[in-house]
mmCIF file of all heavy atoms in Angstrom:
data_model
loop_
_atom_site.group_PDB
_atom_site.id
_atom_site.type_symbol
_atom_site.label_atom_id
_atom_site.label_comp_id
_atom_site.label_asym_id
_atom_site.label_seq_id
_atom_site.Cartn_x
_atom_site.Cartn_y
_atom_site.Cartn_z
ATOM 1 N N TYR A 30 6.630 -14.395 -27.401
ATOM 2 C CA TYR A 30 5.997 -13.073 -27.250
ATOM 3 C C TYR A 30 6.362 -12.159 -28.405
ATOM 4 O O TYR A 30 7.490 -12.204 -28.914
ATOM 5 C CB TYR A 30 6.473 -12.381 -25.961
ATOM 6 C CG TYR A 30 6.125 -13.128 -24.693
ATOM 7 C CD1 TYR A 30 7.046 -13.983 -24.089
ATOM 8 C CD2 TYR A 30 4.873 -12.983 -24.100
ATOM 9 C CE1 TYR A 30 6.727 -14.678 -22.932
ATOM 10 C CE2 TYR A 30 4.546 -13.679 -22.949
ATOM 11 C CZ TYR A 30 5.486 -14.528 -22.372
ATOM 12 O OH TYR A 30 5.155 -15.211 -21.240
ATOM 13 N N TYR A 57 1.010 0.988 -19.310
ATOM 14 C CA TYR A 57 0.703 -0.443 -19.392
ATOM 15 C C TYR A 57 1.039 -1.097 -18.040
ATOM 16 O O TYR A 57 0.539 -2.173 -17.715
ATOM 17 C CB TYR A 57 1.532 -1.034 -20.523
ATOM 18 C CG TYR A 57 1.343 -2.499 -20.791
ATOM 19 C CD1 TYR A 57 0.103 -3.000 -21.171
ATOM 20 C CD2 TYR A 57 2.407 -3.389 -20.687
ATOM 21 C CE1 TYR A 57 -0.058 -4.348 -21.433
ATOM 22 C CE2 TYR A 57 2.249 -4.730 -20.956
ATOM 23 C CZ TYR A 57 1.022 -5.209 -21.326
ATOM 24 O OH TYR A 57 0.858 -6.542 -21.584
ATOM 25 N N HIS A 60 2.029 -4.708 -17.573
ATOM 26 C CA HIS A 60 0.832 -5.558 -17.584
ATOM 27 C C HIS A 60 0.124 -5.561 -16.221
ATOM 28 O O HIS A 60 -0.072 -6.612 -15.600
ATOM 29 C CB HIS A 60 1.155 -6.991 -18.031
ATOM 30 C CG HIS A 60 -0.034 -7.662 -18.650
ATOM 31 N ND1 HIS A 60 0.046 -8.653 -19.578
ATOM 32 C CD2 HIS A 60 -1.354 -7.447 -18.478
ATOM 33 C CE1 HIS A 60 -1.160 -9.038 -19.936
ATOM 34 N NE2 HIS A 60 -2.031 -8.311 -19.280
ATOM 35 N N ALA A 61 -0.220 -4.370 -15.760
ATOM 36 C CA ALA A 61 -1.024 -4.200 -14.538
ATOM 37 C C ALA A 61 -0.301 -4.660 -13.275
ATOM 38 O O ALA A 61 -0.934 -4.908 -12.250
ATOM 39 C CB ALA A 61 -2.378 -4.918 -14.658
ATOM 40 N N VAL A 62 1.006 -4.771 -13.358
ATOM 41 C CA VAL A 62 1.775 -5.248 -12.194
ATOM 42 C C VAL A 62 2.226 -4.074 -11.315
ATOM 43 O O VAL A 62 2.151 -4.127 -10.086
ATOM 44 C CB VAL A 62 2.994 -6.078 -12.670
ATOM 45 C CG1 VAL A 62 3.958 -6.343 -11.521
ATOM 46 C CG2 VAL A 62 2.526 -7.390 -13.288
ATOM 47 N N ASN A 117 2.170 -18.611 -6.884
ATOM 48 C CA ASN A 117 3.203 -17.796 -7.558
ATOM 49 C C ASN A 117 2.744 -16.986 -8.751
ATOM 50 O O ASN A 117 3.543 -16.219 -9.293
ATOM 51 C CB ASN A 117 4.336 -18.712 -8.033
ATOM 52 C CG ASN A 117 4.827 -19.598 -6.912
ATOM 53 O OD1 ASN A 117 5.534 -19.146 -6.031
ATOM 54 N ND2 ASN A 117 4.406 -20.843 -6.926
ATOM 55 N N SER A 118 1.521 -17.162 -9.183
ATOM 56 C CA SER A 118 1.081 -16.468 -10.404
ATOM 57 C C SER A 118 -0.441 -16.453 -10.456
ATOM 58 O O SER A 118 -1.118 -17.132 -9.668
ATOM 59 C CB SER A 118 1.607 -17.200 -11.642
ATOM 60 O OG SER A 118 0.956 -18.453 -11.740
ATOM 61 N N GLY A 119 -0.945 -15.730 -11.443
ATOM 62 C CA GLY A 119 -2.394 -15.649 -11.619
ATOM 63 C C GLY A 119 -2.980 -16.968 -12.086
ATOM 64 O O GLY A 119 -4.036 -17.400 -11.611
ATOM 65 N N ALA A 120 -2.289 -17.626 -13.013
ATOM 66 C CA ALA A 120 -2.788 -18.912 -13.512
ATOM 67 C C ALA A 120 -2.881 -19.914 -12.366
ATOM 68 O O ALA A 120 -3.873 -20.630 -12.218
ATOM 69 C CB ALA A 120 -1.851 -19.435 -14.594
ATOM 70 N N GLU A 121 -1.843 -19.916 -11.549
ATOM 71 C CA GLU A 121 -1.808 -20.869 -10.433
ATOM 72 C C GLU A 121 -2.898 -20.550 -9.402
ATOM 73 O O GLU A 121 -3.488 -21.458 -8.809
ATOM 74 C CB GLU A 121 -0.427 -20.790 -9.784
ATOM 75 C CG GLU A 121 0.082 -22.093 -9.256
ATOM 76 C CD GLU A 121 1.360 -21.906 -8.470
ATOM 77 O OE1 GLU A 121 2.228 -21.106 -8.871
ATOM 78 O OE2 GLU A 121 1.483 -22.563 -7.438
ATOM 79 N N ALA A 122 -3.156 -19.265 -9.209
ATOM 80 C CA ALA A 122 -4.221 -18.877 -8.268
ATOM 81 C C ALA A 122 -5.569 -19.382 -8.792
ATOM 82 O O ALA A 122 -6.367 -19.971 -8.040
ATOM 83 C CB ALA A 122 -4.239 -17.360 -8.087
ATOM 84 N N ASN A 123 -5.826 -19.199 -10.094
ATOM 85 C CA ASN A 123 -7.097 -19.682 -10.649
ATOM 86 C C ASN A 123 -7.170 -21.203 -10.636
ATOM 87 O O ASN A 123 -8.223 -21.786 -10.361
ATOM 88 C CB ASN A 123 -7.274 -19.144 -12.073
ATOM 89 C CG ASN A 123 -7.601 -17.663 -12.059
ATOM 90 O OD1 ASN A 123 -8.292 -17.188 -11.161
ATOM 91 N ND2 ASN A 123 -7.095 -16.922 -13.029
ATOM 92 N N GLY A 145 -13.012 -14.421 -21.495
ATOM 93 C CA GLY A 145 -12.210 -14.252 -20.271
ATOM 94 C C GLY A 145 -10.778 -14.723 -20.473
ATOM 95 O O GLY A 145 -10.485 -15.493 -21.400
ATOM 96 N N PHE A 146 -9.896 -14.250 -19.607
ATOM 97 C CA PHE A 146 -8.506 -14.741 -19.612
ATOM 98 C C PHE A 146 -8.139 -15.125 -18.188
ATOM 99 O O PHE A 146 -8.237 -14.297 -17.271
ATOM 100 C CB PHE A 146 -7.528 -13.684 -20.141
ATOM 101 C CG PHE A 146 -6.146 -14.249 -20.308
ATOM 102 C CD1 PHE A 146 -5.751 -14.825 -21.505
ATOM 103 C CD2 PHE A 146 -5.247 -14.273 -19.236
ATOM 104 C CE1 PHE A 146 -4.488 -15.404 -21.649
ATOM 105 C CE2 PHE A 146 -3.991 -14.846 -19.370
ATOM 106 C CZ PHE A 146 -3.607 -15.405 -20.578
ATOM 107 N N HIS A 147 -7.705 -16.374 -18.008
ATOM 108 C CA HIS A 147 -7.415 -16.834 -16.647
ATOM 109 C C HIS A 147 -6.033 -17.439 -16.487
ATOM 110 O O HIS A 147 -5.702 -17.921 -15.408
ATOM 111 C CB HIS A 147 -8.489 -17.841 -16.211
ATOM 112 C CG HIS A 147 -9.868 -17.266 -16.237
ATOM 113 N ND1 HIS A 147 -10.269 -16.244 -15.397
ATOM 114 C CD2 HIS A 147 -10.932 -17.518 -17.044
ATOM 115 C CE1 HIS A 147 -11.522 -15.923 -15.664
ATOM 116 N NE2 HIS A 147 -11.953 -16.673 -16.658
ATOM 117 N N GLY A 148 -5.208 -17.450 -17.541
ATOM 118 C CA GLY A 148 -3.848 -17.954 -17.412
ATOM 119 C C GLY A 148 -3.566 -19.117 -18.330
ATOM 120 O O GLY A 148 -4.467 -19.618 -19.021
ATOM 121 N N ARG A 149 -2.308 -19.558 -18.323
ATOM 122 C CA ARG A 149 -1.846 -20.511 -19.339
ATOM 123 C C ARG A 149 -1.653 -21.930 -18.839
ATOM 124 O O ARG A 149 -1.226 -22.790 -19.613
ATOM 125 C CB ARG A 149 -0.518 -20.019 -19.916
ATOM 126 C CG ARG A 149 -0.566 -18.612 -20.459
ATOM 127 C CD ARG A 149 -1.081 -18.569 -21.862
ATOM 128 N NE ARG A 149 -0.954 -17.229 -22.424
ATOM 129 C CZ ARG A 149 -1.042 -16.966 -23.714
ATOM 130 N NH1 ARG A 149 -1.276 -17.920 -24.571
ATOM 131 N NH2 ARG A 149 -0.931 -15.732 -24.145
ATOM 132 N N THR A 150 -1.846 -22.203 -17.555
ATOM 133 C CA THR A 150 -1.728 -23.592 -17.097
ATOM 134 C C THR A 150 -2.978 -24.364 -17.519
ATOM 135 O O THR A 150 -3.968 -23.759 -17.944
ATOM 136 C CB THR A 150 -1.572 -23.641 -15.570
ATOM 137 O OG1 THR A 150 -2.688 -22.957 -15.001
ATOM 138 C CG2 THR A 150 -0.291 -22.976 -15.105
ATOM 139 N N ALA A 153 -6.466 -23.443 -16.040
ATOM 140 C CA ALA A 153 -6.738 -22.011 -16.241
ATOM 141 C C ALA A 153 -6.993 -21.713 -17.714
ATOM 142 O O ALA A 153 -7.910 -20.959 -18.055
ATOM 143 C CB ALA A 153 -5.572 -21.175 -15.715
ATOM 144 N N THR A 157 -10.277 -20.282 -20.078
ATOM 145 C CA THR A 157 -10.041 -19.034 -20.816
ATOM 146 C C THR A 157 -10.777 -19.069 -22.155
ATOM 147 O O THR A 157 -11.200 -20.126 -22.612
ATOM 148 C CB THR A 157 -8.499 -18.867 -20.947
ATOM 149 O OG1 THR A 157 -7.995 -18.489 -19.668
ATOM 150 C CG2 THR A 157 -8.092 -17.834 -21.967
ATOM 151 N N LEU A 195 -14.999 -16.063 -13.118
ATOM 152 C CA LEU A 195 -15.245 -14.874 -13.940
ATOM 153 C C LEU A 195 -14.249 -13.771 -13.645
ATOM 154 O O LEU A 195 -13.939 -13.484 -12.480
ATOM 155 C CB LEU A 195 -16.654 -14.336 -13.615
ATOM 156 C CG LEU A 195 -17.090 -13.138 -14.455
ATOM 157 C CD1 LEU A 195 -17.560 -13.575 -15.829
ATOM 158 C CD2 LEU A 195 -18.174 -12.339 -13.761
ATOM 159 N N GLU A 196 -13.778 -13.111 -14.698
ATOM 160 C CA GLU A 196 -13.132 -11.806 -14.556
ATOM 161 C C GLU A 196 -14.279 -10.789 -14.479
ATOM 162 O O GLU A 196 -14.987 -10.606 -15.483
ATOM 163 C CB GLU A 196 -12.364 -11.475 -15.828
ATOM 164 C CG GLU A 196 -10.931 -11.830 -15.935
ATOM 165 C CD GLU A 196 -10.386 -11.297 -17.272
ATOM 166 O OE1 GLU A 196 -10.640 -11.912 -18.315
ATOM 167 O OE2 GLU A 196 -9.718 -10.274 -17.265
ATOM 168 N N PRO A 197 -14.482 -10.118 -13.375
ATOM 169 C CA PRO A 197 -15.643 -9.226 -13.273
ATOM 170 C C PRO A 197 -15.613 -8.111 -14.325
ATOM 171 O O PRO A 197 -16.648 -7.674 -14.808
ATOM 172 C CB PRO A 197 -15.546 -8.639 -11.868
ATOM 173 C CG PRO A 197 -14.528 -9.448 -11.147
ATOM 174 C CD PRO A 197 -13.684 -10.172 -12.141
ATOM 175 N N ILE A 198 -14.413 -7.640 -14.668
ATOM 176 C CA ILE A 198 -14.237 -6.793 -15.855
ATOM 177 C C ILE A 198 -13.234 -7.551 -16.722
ATOM 178 O O ILE A 198 -12.141 -7.882 -16.241
ATOM 179 C CB ILE A 198 -13.686 -5.399 -15.495
ATOM 180 C CG1 ILE A 198 -14.686 -4.652 -14.610
ATOM 181 C CG2 ILE A 198 -13.374 -4.591 -16.762
ATOM 182 C CD1 ILE A 198 -14.184 -3.308 -14.092
ATOM 183 N N GLN A 199 -13.616 -7.852 -17.946
ATOM 184 C CA GLN A 199 -12.726 -8.663 -18.794
ATOM 185 C C GLN A 199 -11.666 -7.768 -19.420
ATOM 186 O O GLN A 199 -11.938 -7.037 -20.373
ATOM 187 C CB GLN A 199 -13.528 -9.375 -19.867
ATOM 188 C CG GLN A 199 -14.425 -10.479 -19.298
ATOM 189 C CD GLN A 199 -15.056 -11.309 -20.402
ATOM 190 O OE1 GLN A 199 -15.465 -10.784 -21.438
ATOM 191 N NE2 GLN A 199 -15.154 -12.609 -20.176
ATOM 192 N N SER A 200 -10.459 -7.872 -18.878
ATOM 193 C CA SER A 200 -9.403 -6.954 -19.298
ATOM 194 C C SER A 200 -8.916 -7.242 -20.718
ATOM 195 O O SER A 200 -9.002 -6.396 -21.610
ATOM 196 C CB SER A 200 -8.236 -7.019 -18.317
ATOM 197 O OG SER A 200 -7.198 -6.158 -18.726
ATOM 198 N N MET A 201 -8.389 -8.451 -20.928
ATOM 199 C CA MET A 201 -7.803 -8.798 -22.223
ATOM 200 C C MET A 201 -8.823 -8.649 -23.355
ATOM 201 O O MET A 201 -8.472 -8.303 -24.489
ATOM 202 C CB MET A 201 -7.285 -10.241 -22.134
ATOM 203 C CG MET A 201 -6.219 -10.604 -23.110
ATOM 204 S SD MET A 201 -4.787 -9.554 -22.968
ATOM 205 C CE MET A 201 -4.265 -9.534 -24.660
ATOM 206 N N ASP A 229 -11.920 -13.746 -10.594
ATOM 207 C CA ASP A 229 -10.517 -13.583 -10.962
ATOM 208 C C ASP A 229 -10.224 -12.085 -10.873
ATOM 209 O O ASP A 229 -10.568 -11.318 -11.778
ATOM 210 C CB ASP A 229 -10.317 -14.124 -12.386
ATOM 211 C CG ASP A 229 -8.900 -13.901 -12.910
ATOM 212 O OD1 ASP A 229 -8.190 -13.044 -12.367
ATOM 213 O OD2 ASP A 229 -8.526 -14.570 -13.889
ATOM 214 N N GLU A 230 -9.627 -11.688 -9.753
ATOM 215 C CA GLU A 230 -9.315 -10.267 -9.517
ATOM 216 C C GLU A 230 -7.833 -9.995 -9.807
ATOM 217 O O GLU A 230 -7.257 -9.053 -9.270
ATOM 218 C CB GLU A 230 -9.654 -9.889 -8.059
ATOM 219 C CG GLU A 230 -11.133 -9.998 -7.699
ATOM 220 C CD GLU A 230 -11.888 -8.661 -7.764
ATOM 221 O OE1 GLU A 230 -11.317 -7.671 -8.262
ATOM 222 O OE2 GLU A 230 -13.050 -8.639 -7.301
ATOM 223 N N VAL A 231 -7.259 -10.843 -10.653
ATOM 224 C CA VAL A 231 -5.822 -10.722 -10.938
ATOM 225 C C VAL A 231 -5.493 -9.333 -11.509
ATOM 226 O O VAL A 231 -4.473 -8.739 -11.173
ATOM 227 C CB VAL A 231 -5.386 -11.870 -11.884
ATOM 228 C CG1 VAL A 231 -4.026 -11.616 -12.507
ATOM 229 C CG2 VAL A 231 -5.367 -13.195 -11.111
ATOM 230 N N GLN A 232 -6.386 -8.813 -12.351
ATOM 231 C CA GLN A 232 -6.161 -7.450 -12.858
ATOM 232 C C GLN A 232 -7.037 -6.436 -12.137
ATOM 233 O O GLN A 232 -6.622 -5.303 -11.915
ATOM 234 C CB GLN A 232 -6.463 -7.392 -14.358
ATOM 235 C CG GLN A 232 -5.441 -8.129 -15.180
ATOM 236 C CD GLN A 232 -5.199 -7.492 -16.548
ATOM 237 O OE1 GLN A 232 -5.468 -6.330 -16.786
ATOM 238 N NE2 GLN A 232 -4.667 -8.278 -17.451
ATOM 239 N N THR A 233 -8.263 -6.834 -11.791
ATOM 240 C CA THR A 233 -9.235 -5.869 -11.264
ATOM 241 C C THR A 233 -9.029 -5.574 -9.777
ATOM 242 O O THR A 233 -9.520 -4.562 -9.289
ATOM 243 C CB THR A 233 -10.666 -6.406 -11.454
ATOM 244 O OG1 THR A 233 -10.718 -7.735 -10.892
ATOM 245 C CG2 THR A 233 -11.043 -6.475 -12.915
ATOM 246 N N THR A 255 -9.183 -14.488 -6.634
ATOM 247 C CA THR A 255 -7.776 -14.759 -6.950
ATOM 248 C C THR A 255 -7.055 -13.450 -7.254
ATOM 249 O O THR A 255 -7.625 -12.531 -7.834
ATOM 250 C CB THR A 255 -7.660 -15.713 -8.154
ATOM 251 O OG1 THR A 255 -8.307 -15.134 -9.294
ATOM 252 C CG2 THR A 255 -8.273 -17.059 -7.847
ATOM 253 N N PHE A 256 -5.794 -13.411 -6.826
ATOM 254 C CA PHE A 256 -4.958 -12.214 -6.990
ATOM 255 C C PHE A 256 -3.579 -12.633 -7.499
ATOM 256 O O PHE A 256 -3.105 -13.728 -7.206
ATOM 257 C CB PHE A 256 -4.779 -11.484 -5.651
ATOM 258 C CG PHE A 256 -6.070 -11.066 -5.018
ATOM 259 C CD1 PHE A 256 -6.697 -11.866 -4.077
ATOM 260 C CD2 PHE A 256 -6.682 -9.873 -5.386
ATOM 261 C CE1 PHE A 256 -7.907 -11.490 -3.499
ATOM 262 C CE2 PHE A 256 -7.884 -9.485 -4.824
ATOM 263 C CZ PHE A 256 -8.498 -10.291 -3.871
ATOM 264 N N ALA A 257 -2.932 -11.730 -8.223
ATOM 265 C CA ALA A 257 -1.526 -11.912 -8.619
ATOM 266 C C ALA A 257 -1.055 -10.537 -9.100
ATOM 267 O O ALA A 257 -1.340 -9.543 -8.451
ATOM 268 C CB ALA A 257 -1.386 -12.993 -9.694
ATOM 269 N N LYS A 258 -0.363 -10.474 -10.213
ATOM 270 C CA LYS A 258 0.113 -9.230 -10.833
ATOM 271 C C LYS A 258 0.613 -8.201 -9.815
ATOM 272 O O LYS A 258 1.742 -8.261 -9.389
ATOM 273 C CB LYS A 258 -0.988 -8.647 -11.731
ATOM 274 C CG LYS A 258 -1.265 -9.569 -12.927
ATOM 275 C CD LYS A 258 -1.610 -8.791 -14.150
ATOM 276 C CE LYS A 258 -2.062 -9.692 -15.279
ATOM 277 N NZ LYS A 258 -0.959 -10.318 -15.988
ATOM 278 N N ALA A 266 4.023 -13.655 -7.351
ATOM 279 C CA ALA A 266 3.175 -14.064 -6.228
ATOM 280 C C ALA A 266 1.736 -14.148 -6.698
ATOM 281 O O ALA A 266 1.295 -13.356 -7.530
ATOM 282 C CB ALA A 266 3.273 -13.059 -5.079
ATOM 283 N N GLY A 267 1.021 -15.119 -6.153
ATOM 284 C CA GLY A 267 -0.408 -15.235 -6.397
ATOM 285 C C GLY A 267 -1.076 -15.615 -5.094
ATOM 286 O O GLY A 267 -0.412 -16.068 -4.156
ATOM 287 N N ARG A 372 -5.570 -0.388 -24.397
ATOM 288 C CA ARG A 372 -5.804 -0.658 -22.969
ATOM 289 C C ARG A 372 -4.847 0.131 -22.104
ATOM 290 O O ARG A 372 -3.639 0.133 -22.323
ATOM 291 C CB ARG A 372 -5.625 -2.145 -22.700
ATOM 292 C CG ARG A 372 -6.759 -2.723 -21.862
ATOM 293 C CD ARG A 372 -6.853 -4.208 -21.949
ATOM 294 N NE ARG A 372 -5.700 -4.867 -22.463
ATOM 295 C CZ ARG A 372 -5.038 -5.841 -21.831
ATOM 296 N NH1 ARG A 372 -5.431 -6.244 -20.641
ATOM 297 N NH2 ARG A 372 -3.997 -6.422 -22.394
HETATM 298 C C1 LIG B 23 -7.330 -11.674 -15.461
HETATM 299 C C2 LIG B 23 -6.115 -12.545 -15.505
HETATM 300 N N1 LIG B 23 -6.131 -13.704 -14.835
HETATM 301 C C3 LIG B 23 -5.060 -14.520 -14.826
HETATM 302 C C4 LIG B 23 -3.911 -14.190 -15.499
HETATM 303 C C5 LIG B 23 -2.724 -15.104 -15.466
HETATM 304 O O1 LIG B 23 -1.754 -14.566 -14.658
HETATM 305 P P1 LIG B 23 -0.228 -15.107 -14.748
HETATM 306 O O2 LIG B 23 0.311 -14.646 -16.064
HETATM 307 O O3 LIG B 23 0.436 -14.473 -13.572
HETATM 308 O O4 LIG B 23 -0.291 -16.580 -14.656
HETATM 309 C C6 LIG B 23 -3.852 -12.987 -16.212
HETATM 310 C C7 LIG B 23 -2.622 -12.618 -16.965
HETATM 311 O O5 LIG B 23 -2.585 -11.742 -17.786
HETATM 312 C C8 LIG B 23 -4.978 -12.141 -16.214
HETATM 313 O O6 LIG B 23 -4.983 -11.001 -16.891
#
Side-chain angles (χ1 to χ4, degrees):
Y30 298 96
Y57 181 61
H60 207 153
V62 168
N117 309 284
S118 68
E121 214 188 320
N123 287 325
F146 187 90
H147 301 294
R149 305 276 187 164
T150 56
T157 286
L195 183 79
E196 267 184 282
I198 297 175
Q199 291 188 321
S200 179
M201 203 58 212
D229 176 341
E230 296 262 10
V231 165
Q232 290 213 21
T233 52
T255 59
F256 302 94
K258 294 215 188 280
R372 227 161 17 125

